[in-house]
Amino acid sequence: MKQAQRGRPGSPARRGSALVFSLVVVTIVAGMAYSLLRITTFTTRRQASSTDDKRAFYVAEAGIAEAYYGLSRGFTGAVGAADQPVVLGDGLVWVEATQTGDEILLRSTGMVGSGRATVEVALESIDVELGIFAEEGIELDVPFLIDGFDSEAEPYEAQARTGTIRIDPLKEHLVDSTNHILYYEGLYYRFQDYTTEVFAYDVFFDPLAHPEYMEKYGAEPVYNSTSLASDSDAWLGTGGTAVLSPEEQMKYGLYAAAEYFSTIPEVKAPAPESDSASSPLGPSTGADGMISSNGDIVLSSDGTPTAVYGDLLHGPESEFSGTGVTVSGSVGALPEQVELDPVQVPGVEMLPGFLHDSALPRVIPSGQIGYESVSVAPGAELVLIGPGAAVFGSLQLQSGSRLTIRNEAGPVDLYVTGVVDLQVGAVIETESEQALDLSLQVVQSFLPVQLYAMSRFHGGIYAPGSEVAVGRDFEVFGYLVSRTLQLEEGVRLHFDSSTSGSLLLPRLLGWKIEEIPVQVRQNRGDPFRIFYGESEEPPEMEESMQSDCWQIEAAEKEFDWNTMKWGDYAEYSGPAKGFEPTEGYWYSIPATGFAEPEVPGKAWFLQVSWNDGKGSSYYGPFRDFGGLQGHIWEWILWYE
Amino acid sequence: MNLALAALLAAFPLALPLRAEDPQSGVIGAAIVEALEGDESALDATVVGLGYEAIPVVFGALSASSLPTLDAEGELSAVELSVDQVLLLEAAFTGFPDRDVAAFLRELAQRPLSATERTFAIRELGRVGTRRDLELLTALTLPEGVRGSRSRVPRPYCVGFQRSLASIHTRTPCSSIDVVALYRGVPLDLAAHVIWGLGETDSVSGLVLLVELLGELDDADPLILTEIARLGELLPHPLPEEVGFAVSMYLDAIELELLLLAIRAVEKIEVQNATARLIELTDHEIGPVAKAAVAALRASSGIDRGRGSKHWKEWYAKTQRWWQHEAPGLLRDIERGDDAARSRALLEASKWRFYRHEIAPVVVDTLKSPDQELVVLSCAVLGHLGSWIAVPELIELVGKSDGAVLQAAARALQRITGRDFGSDEEAWSELLRSHT
């Protein structure tokens, strides 16, 4: 049967030609489809690669921002390392920082998917004392006071001893039954220790200005140190009278005071005495203040003198004019325009916003945390615990609310990316009196930053892109940087010179896209897999900031393992470059990288263990140490 | 004359506290004025000798800086007191029996008070009151008409309430039942001050009580955990074990803020048993939680293993192995080894900060050695370990030694306590007393 079919005559050559044709067509179509697929795949890959490259670029840029943030917080600017990049968004990044003189070079390499990008930025570190600064000129026609002090030396109160008060009886004030001032011009004066009723009067009180006092206690009363208080328990002294309207009393939340003083007959305030050296706006250190601007500074006052106890610097091509204004220091121009860098907000996960309206205080824990918006209702209290950085989309303290900043255990940096509305009648209390322990940084608010709450704000305010309005109850002990500045009558701003270093914000000189380092250029795989495999966790940004500060403890004398001779301890705490080794056995662990200090005739030895995925260690001469890759766990360095 | 009359009045106490406008007040006031103008050293005895009836008069005088007295015609008038006289009278007031002052304050709570009287009454109850007076403390703190849970309480009263509660608890420790009742009986405005008042005791008993209150008071756990963390940082360690157990339960909290506060509290009160859970949390998907867990582990171990649980697990296993297998021999060497072995063992032991409270007692024993170099080394190691267990012996050493040993002991104390009193044994002892 098969043979019969095979041998059938008639259509020898044409038989199967359609099949051949079909096969050819199919082959051609398949080829075209394959080519198309290749092209599509290639295009997709290119697009993906291009997208990844873009994302890598953004990550590299964000790395620069983190490095910048680190620099402004006293770190070296380096983030992670080439062999240990850190997580940032969907990618990994490391930033190398090189400092030459005042110039800092930051090189950031970002990696996302197959994308790679390297950005290099040159910065200049500038050391400018801005004090109270407004970028676009300052024009004020109300009385205010600016002076300065150094919180590292003594509290403001102690340094303001030279100040005296003249009382204008027509202005709101409060004196006790023995004519001691409790309140005047927005300032509170109180007994040193209300709980023990020790009647030590405030150092600002000038007996010479009060004849009644002189008559009663003599010319040399005992002065004790004291503290100012913005809380209303300061009002519970013995005897007194209030010349405050009910509205004012409500404004300050002085319920108890209002109740108390209403029962006591009014005592006439002491007559004012003229004192040309004193400030009409209350006590002052009389010096060390600073007000500056890139533009003109125009100050005028209608009869009530305005005092700038310190220096005034207007813009390079601008002018100063003052009517009824005392400037005790020098008046001059800034050497060049100060370029304010934008606020660098740390990357934190933003939690949903909230309105806190419970009478129980809400606690924001230490560490880094963010909320889309924060509003505190009347009668409610928000407590921020340091150390930490909080990022708020907006911050509103409604009248009658309270913000307590517990920053004695560590600094609090409060970043607000939108509206700041601290209303009249709200209270802000800062636990630490060191301005470096608190900063309020406002990214850019289209509405003015409203600082009308009652506060003795010991901290820095950095709002370079915003208009800032300060109410008379908001007393700043630190610094204030803004785009424009508006002050209410009677505002008191005290520049804390210990914060001058904190204004050492690096200035951008230039930037460029750099060649991608060869080690990451060649392998375009998933960077997480390349660097950390399946099981290992890459480090987080915060823990990879490289500190420029060492804390070293040492036994100064020689140490012998056999005889165990230990001598006195020595300590060093400060920047690495300032460290000078003394002879001895170094026992503790600097925060990061250690360059062998030179000690003539001595050889350094090192014992170190580190994490390179499996855990390694070295023990031997420092100079024979080949270096390590990974995080150092523990190390001890000594010389013999 | 006035004194005699006043003594007569004291023999027949009235049912209600005197007021300035009562004629008897004038009699007692006149007696006090007489005493104030006489011998200062006899003032206290004279005032207290006037008996219970004098309490409201003196109280009123301290509140108003004036005393009611009788003039020549027997009419009531007021005598202004100087600052010095007020201070003298205030000192004399503390001489009245606590029980009588408390009874007076109970009567005082029945009538309207001025702000000064209220403030003074709150403070005095803190001085003389007991845990049974917590209800009275609330009554004195709340002005007339302030009763509802959402009523506003002036802040000075809240602060006074807080201080008085701390004072009462310090003298007569409250139970959790007392505090729960107090917390639930005050307006919300005052509720936080209940927690802060217990924290303000700066005492282990305050800490233990706060821990007992965890979960008992509505919405107060964040505040309680914050106070626990503060006390954990302040108080000498090791702290009672039950404290750690209760706090570590909160490491399973779902709410982010509560979890973060719990991690911080665990870090500050050093809960060894929470180590495994903290290691798990280093892998937490929320960055701040993982960071806080790493920070807590860093604090307890004294080393850094970075983020992620893998290396922390290895460290923990290694540490536990060391404690089980090597530490016993090492501690034996510290106790009984020769000089070289002891020294080596001491140095090795100083690396294991995680077990510092267990190691420190053994190291403390070496402080009695006649070998000065060994004692100096032990001081250094104790300073490095940082356990308060060693503080009493180090203070003793400061008191009886000199030279290198004195320096080393003082230095160790400074490292452990964070304070520096140099070679002042008395100051160190005072610090220890205030912390225990």
Side-chain angles (χ1 to χ4, degrees):
Chain A
M1 181 68 179
K2 280 180 184 173
Q3 272 188 342
Q5 274 179 346
R6 205 183 294 142
R8 200 168 64 186
S11 53
R14 295 178 64 107
R15 225 171 252 273
S17 62
L19 182 63
V20 172
F21 178 74
S22 301
L23 276 174
V24 170
V25 170
V26 166
T27 306
I28 290 168
V29 169
M32 283 174 68
Y34 177 71
S35 301
L36 202 64
L37 189 68
R38 284 291 303 267
I39 289 166
T40 309
T41 309
F42 180 70
T43 309
T44 308
R45 273 192 192 155
R46 272 193 63 178
Q47 279 174 345
S49 173
S50 171
T51 308
D52 281 353
D53 278 344
K54 271 187 188 162
R55 291 166 69 200
F57 177 77
Y58 294 140
V59 166
E61 266 196 328
I64 292 286
E66 291 291 340
Y68 189 98
Y69 168 69
L71 278 170
S72 66
R73 299 295 305 169
F75 291 95
T76 59
V79 176
D83 55 352
Q84 197 166 34
V86 300
V87 181
L88 188 57
D90 295 338
L92 292 174
V93 69
W94 85 87
V95 184
E96 296 158 73
T98 319
Q99 183 152 10
T100 317
D102 285 342
E103 205 172 297
I104 304 160
L105 210 61
L106 298 177
R107 178 181 292 203
S108 173
T109 301
M111 297 168 283
V112 179
S114 63
R116 306 285 185 267
T118 299
V119 179
E120 191 173 278
V121 168
L123 302 165
E124 181 185 27
S125 83
I126 48 165
D127 188 6
V128 180
E129 272 190 5
L130 299 177
I132 310 303
F133 179 84
E135 194 174 13
E136 294 181 0
I138 296 173
E139 190 171 345
L140 299 168
D141 58 359
V142 292
F144 64 90
L145 180 143
I146 289 176
D147 63 359
F149 74 113
D150 180 1
S151 66
E152 284 183 349
E154 276 181 305
Y156 176 81
E157 294 85 341
Q159 294 173 51
R161 282 170 195 274
T162 54
T164 57
I165 303 167
R166 289 187 306 163
I167 291 184
D168 178 352
L170 297 177
K171 291 192 171 176
E172 61 186 32
H173 64 274
L174 185 72
V175 293
D176 72 4
S177 58
T178 47
N179 284 330
H180 294 104
I181 302 160
L182 298 178
Y183 175 86
Y184 182 62
E185 285 286 284
L187 272 179
Y188 300 84
Y189 307 89
R190 72 166 175 180
F191 302 121
Q192 184 181 21
D193 188 349
Y194 134 84
T195 56
T196 56
E197 299 288 346
V198 175
F199 293 161
Y201 293 105
D202 61 79
V203 291
F204 306 125
F205 178 72
D206 178 11
L208 298 174
H210 303 279
E212 295 93 334
Y213 187 92
M214 293 275 287
E215 194 181 319
K216 206 163 186 176
Y217 298 107
E220 292 180 357
V222 177
Y223 283 94
N224 287 312
S225 62
T226 185
S227 57
L228 292 169
S230 57
D231 52 356
S232 48
D233 67 349
W235 291 75
L236 299 171
T238 300
T241 182
V243 193
L244 295 176
S245 65
E247 290 78 8
E248 288 292 308
Q249 290 166 4
M250 289 306 291
K251 173 181 164 186
Y252 298 122
L254 301 172
Y255 307 102
E259 185 186 345
Y260 168 46
F261 287 113
S262 65
T263 64
I264 295 178
E266 190 173 315
V267 178
K268 196 179 173 190
E273 287 220 344
S274 65
D275 181 348
S276 58
S278 69
S279 160
L281 293 169
S284 154
T285 59
D288 300 329
M290 166 68 77
I291 181 168
S292 59
S293 173
N294 280 342
D296 292 333
I297 298 182
V298 181
L299 309 176
S300 61
S301 177
D302 55 347
T304 309
T306 293
V308 176
Y309 291 113
D311 299 333
L312 183 149
L313 292 173
H314 51 77
E317 293 167 8
S318 305
E319 290 181 341
F320 163 64
S321 81
T323 310
V325 176
T326 307
V327 180
S328 72
S330 63
V331 175
L334 285 165
E336 57 183 295
Q337 293 267 331
V338 175
E339 284 180 34
L340 296 174
D341 285 281
V343 173
Q344 302 291 334
V345 182
V348 296
E349 293 167 54
M350 298 296 275
L351 301 169
F354 63 84
L355 163 67
H356 175 48
D357 60 357
S358 162
L360 270 185
R362 177 162 181 165
V363 182
I364 306 287
S366 57
Q368 285 195 353
I369 197 159
Y371 296 91
E372 283 165 6
S373 66
V374 171
S375 180
V376 188
E381 179 174 356
L382 187 69
V383 182
L384 276 176
I385 310 271
V391 182
F392 295 163
S394 64
L395 172 63
Q396 183 187 49
L397 294 184
Q398 298 176 29
S399 183
S401 66
R402 192 176 188 90
L403 171 63
T404 302
I405 296 167
R406 285 200 179 175
N407 53 347
E408 275 202 333
V412 168
D413 293 312
L414 180 54
Y415 298 86
V416 184
T417 56
V419 173
V420 178
D421 181 17
L422 313 181
Q423 297 176 2
V424 173
V427 175
I428 301 176
E429 195 177 351
T430 63
E431 196 177 56
S432 165
E433 295 200 347
Q434 301 290 318
L436 288 173
D437 287 340
L438 174 62
S439 74
L440 168 62
Q441 305 191 37
V442 186
V443 173
Q444 187 164 14
S445 176
F446 294 105
L447 294 171
V449 174
Q450 310 261 15
L451 307 178
Y452 286 105
M454 176 183 282
S455 180
R456 291 168 50 78
F457 189 89
H458 290 269
I461 296 159
Y462 188 71
S466 308
E467 181 184 338
V468 174
V470 185
R472 61 176 304 155
D473 295 331
F474 195 89
E475 190 170 9
V476 176
F477 299 79
Y479 62 87
L480 194 163
V481 174
S482 62
R483 182 168 59 80
T484 65
L485 180 65
Q486 289 302 319
L487 303 181
E488 232 180 28
E489 182 180 338
V491 165
R492 295 162 52 83
L493 306 170
H494 316 289
F495 170 52
D496 184 349
S497 58
S498 74
T499 64
S500 56
S502 70
L503 289 178
L504 205 155
L505 294 166
R507 179 193 294 170
L508 181 68
L509 293 176
W511 72 281
K512 62 178 176 177
I513 295 174
E514 262 290 315
E515 196 173 329
I516 299 161
V518 65
Q519 69 266 34
V520 293
R521 192 174 56 218
Q522 286 169 348
N523 190 344
R524 291 267 178 168
D526 175 14
F528 286 90
R529 190 165 291 179
I530 294 169
F531 282 91
Y532 297 104
E534 294 294 340
S535 57
E536 200 174 343
E537 281 280 339
E540 286 281 310
M541 180 63 66
E542 197 184 354
E543 62 206 41
S544 299
M545 291 269 181
Q546 291 187 8
S547 171
D548 190 28
C549 190
W550 287 358
Q551 285 194 324
I552 296 175
E553 290 171 20
E556 277 185 337
K557 293 178 185 167
E558 288 206 356
F559 177 83
D560 186 326
W561 282 96
N562 296 312
T563 57
M564 297 300 165
K565 282 180 183 165
W566 282 60
D568 302 334
Y569 272 98
E571 274 184 336
Y572 174 79
S573 178
K577 63 186 174 190
F579 172 61
E580 289 176 12
T582 56
E583 190 174 331
Y585 169 82
W586 301 102
Y587 185 71
S588 78
I589 306 161
T592 188
F594 188 87
E596 182 181 355
E598 277 186 33
V599 181
K602 299 284 182 184
W604 286 87
F605 288 81
L606 174 70
Q607 182 180 344
V608 61
S609 61
W610 69 94
N611 169 21
D612 57 358
K614 58 183 190 293
S616 298
S617 63
Y618 172 82
Y619 177 92
F622 186 90
R623 64 175 58 120
D624 296 341
F625 179 53
L628 58 83
Q629 290 191 338
H631 259 334
I632 292 177
W633 281 337
E634 292 167 285
W635 66 278
I636 300 174
L637 185 73
W638 71 99
Y639 63 73
E640 293 175 356
Chain B
M1 164 61 188
N2 284 326
L3 279 172
L5 194 55
L8 191 65
L9 277 171
F12 301 98
L14 299 171
L16 285 170
L18 288 175
R19 294 180 182 227
E21 58 272 24
D22 294 330
Q24 294 93 327
S25 303
V27 176
I28 293 171
I32 295 171
V33 170
E34 203 173 302
L36 279 168
E37 287 165 356
D39 181 9
E40 269 184 23
S41 62
L43 179 72
D44 292 7
T46 308
V47 170
V48 174
L50 292 171
Y52 182 82
E53 285 303 313
I55 293 176
V57 179
V58 179
F59 181 87
L62 293 174
S63 303
S65 294
S66 67
L67 266 170
T69 186
L70 295 172
D71 59 20
E73 284 81 40
E75 294 293 316
L76 268 178
S77 61
V79 172
E80 289 294 316
L81 298 176
S82 70
V83 171
D84 288 343
Q85 286 173 326
V86 170
L87 285 173
L88 285 170
L89 213 49
E90 191 179 10
F93 189 75
T94 60
F96 287 114
D98 290 355
R99 197 182 55 241
D100 287 356
V101 176
F104 161 69
L105 293 172
R106 264 189 285 280
E107 289 164 358
L108 195 69
Q110 307 301 316
R111 67 171 171 86
L113 299 174
S114 74
T116 318
E117 285 175 327
R118 189 177 301 288
T119 308
F120 192 41
I122 294 168
R123 194 191 73 179
E124 283 306 301
L125 187 62
R127 188 175 64 79
V128 302
T130 67
R131 48 179 282 211
R132 286 189 296 276
D133 294 317
L134 296 181
E135 210 172 312
L136 175 61
L137 179 62
T138 308
L140 285 172
T141 304
L142 302 183
E144 287 69 38
V146 177
R147 288 296 177 268
S149 68
R150 294 197 69 86
S151 302
R152 302 299 313 278
V153 184
R155 196 160 179 91
Y157 300 157
C158 295
V159 174
F161 170 90
Q162 181 181 321
R163 287 175 184 161
S164 287
L165 176 60
S167 171
I168 288 171
H169 177 74
T170 304
R171 285 179 298 100
T172 58
C174 307
S175 69
S176 56
I177 296 170
D178 297 333
V179 180
V180 169
L182 177 67
Y183 183 91
R184 293 188 176 149
V186 298
L188 282 172
D189 231 12
L190 205 53
H193 295 271
V194 174
I195 310 298
W196 291 334
L198 295 176
E200 198 172 310
T201 58
D202 290 350
S203 66
V204 174
S205 76
L207 174 67
V208 171
L209 186 50
L210 282 166
V211 169
E212 284 174 18
L213 293 171
L214 277 170
E216 296 291 327
L217 310 178
D218 302 335
D219 303 324
D221 284 348
L223 289 172
I224 296 174
L225 286 171
T226 306
E227 280 307 298
I228 288 172
R230 195 185 67 77
L231 288 174
E233 189 153 27
L234 186 78
L235 295 170
H237 289 224
L239 294 164
E241 270 185 33
E242 67 265 28
V243 170
F245 178 74
V247 177
S248 58
M249 306 281 279
Y250 281 76
L251 293 179
D252 293 322
I254 296 166
E255 195 187 331
L256 176 65
E257 285 169 15
L258 199 58
L259 180 55
L260 286 169
L261 290 167
I263 294 173
R264 187 169 165 80
V266 161
E267 176 192 333
K268 296 301 175 190
I269 59 176
E270 299 178 359
V271 189
Q272 256 188 9
N273 291 336
T275 306
R277 176 65 184 140
L278 284 174
I279 290 173
E280 281 174 22
L281 287 172
T282 61
D283 287 333
H284 200 281
E285 58 189 4
I286 296 175
V289 174
K291 280 178 200 165
V294 169
L297 288 167
R298 229 184 259 154
S300 66
S301 67
I303 59 168
D304 188 4
R305 287 288 191 270
R307 194 182 166 196
S309 63
K310 187 183 164 205
H311 297 298
W312 283 110
K313 279 180 183 160
E314 287 169 7
W315 160 81
Y316 192 40
K318 185 179 156 193
T319 304
Q320 286 178 312
R321 272 200 307 276
W322 177 85
W323 182 245
Q324 281 168 8
H325 303 299
E326 294 178 44
L330 205 73
L331 297 180
R332 257 198 314 276
D333 279 351
I334 294 174
E335 281 176 322
R336 298 192 290 270
D338 59 30
D339 283 355
R342 269 183 152 183
S343 303
R344 277 183 189 282
L346 279 168
L347 282 169
E348 177 62 21
S350 73
K351 291 181 187 169
W352 301 89
R353 188 177 149 77
F354 188 71
Y355 289 110
R356 60 191 172 284
H357 301 310
E358 289 81 2
I359 295 169
V362 183
V363 181
V364 161
D365 288 342
T366 63
L367 295 178
K368 297 186 183 83
S369 166
D371 182 349
Q372 289 220 342
E373 284 176 6
L374 183 72
V375 174
V376 169
L377 177 61
S378 298
C379 288
V381 169
L382 287 170
H384 187 70
L385 289 172
S387 173
W388 273 76
I389 285 175
V391 169
E393 279 75 11
L394 286 168
I395 293 175
E396 202 183 318
L397 207 57
V398 164
K400 69 179 185 193
S401 36
D402 52 20
V405 173
L406 170 63
Q407 273 192 345
R411 164 73 190 167
L413 283 170
Q414 194 229 319
R415 294 189 71 188
I416 295 168
T417 64
R419 309 290 297 275
D420 189 5
F421 298 120
S423 56
D424 186 345
E425 185 192 5
E426 190 44 48
W428 285 119
S429 302
E430 184 53 44
L431 178 73
L432 182 63
R433 270 195 297 278
S434 68
H435 276 73
T436 46

